[in-house]
Each structure stands twice: as structure tokens, then as C-alpha cells.
Amino acid sequence: MMYRLVADAAMVVHFAFLAYLALGGFVAWRWRRTIWAHLAVVAWGLVSIVTGVECPLTLAEDWGRRAAGLEGLPASGFIDRYIEGVIYPEQYTNLARLGVAVLVLFAYVGYVLRRQ
């Protein structure tokens, strides 16, 4: 039971992380200091896409699932299990990434304009 809770908590935190990646720049419009946390999240997102390094949340969820006797995550990880093919078709992965990048850039432009 405890391992399943670890896996489920990691999954929920992962979704929250991705939501903050996409929308956290807008949060910084209201709470300016959060821009530093968002920059770190965006940097991690870029590093994970460019280098393919596994996210610790993916590792934690996979460990919890396997320890609970469930099927682990696929080798490609969290995104392939819960996002690609569920929220959007796999062939649109790069378009979805571009959409998130545009959203983040728009939020940063708004952040800069609101500071002036």
C-alpha cells in the first residue's frame, strides 16, 4: 500500500510540475519572486529534452509501482505513459513542445512588460 502511495504521489507531483512548467511564468506576474523557481523548472525541462536524462519523479514513480507489484513505467517514461497518445497523438510531440515554449515566452514577455 505504501509503495502505491509513493507512485501515485510522484505521478501527481509530476503533473503539477508540468503544469507549473507551462503556466508558472504567469504566476510570476502576480508573485514576482517565483520567476526564479520557474526559470529552474524551465531549465530542467530543457535539459531533460536535450540530454534525455531521466527525471527523478519518473524514477520514484517507477520504483513505487514496481515495489507495489504493479507494471513499471515504459522505458520512455512518464510522458509516454500519461501524456503522449492520451492528451495528444504521439506525432504531435514537437508541436506540443513548441506550444509550451511559446506559452512560456509569452509569459516572460508579459512578466518583463509588467515590471516596467
Side-chain angles (χ1 to χ4, degrees):
M1 175 75 169
M2 187 61 155
Y3 296 118
R4 177 67 190 258
L5 289 174
V6 168
D8 289 347
M11 177 191 58
V12 168
V13 171
H14 217 153
F15 273 114
F17 183 89
L18 292 175
Y20 187 69
L21 171 67
L23 303 172
F26 296 105
V27 172
W29 287 13
R30 174 73 171 100
W31 295 286
R32 289 186 179 172
R33 290 184 182 172
T34 63
I35 195 70
W36 298 107
H38 192 257
L39 285 168
V41 166
V42 169
W44 174 256
L46 286 172
V47 166
S48 68
I49 289 171
V50 172
T51 66
V53 65
E54 266 195 281
C55 178
L57 290 168
T58 300
L59 296 174
E61 182 185 353
D62 189 53
W63 174 80
R65 291 177 62 80
R66 290 179 191 278
L70 302 171
E71 177 185 342
L73 291 175
S76 50
F78 177 87
I79 300 292
D80 282 353
R81 169 116 182 158
Y82 298 109
I83 308 292
E84 287 179 348
V86 177
I87 296 177
Y88 59 83
E90 284 184 51
Q91 64 264 30
Y92 296 117
T93 297
N94 288 332
L95 185 61
R97 288 177 178 169
L98 178 63
V100 170
V102 167
L103 196 61
V104 168
L105 288 174
F106 179 77
Y108 285 175
V109 167
Y111 175 81
V112 169
L113 293 175
R114 289 176 63 92
R115 284 195 68 200
Q116 294 175 356

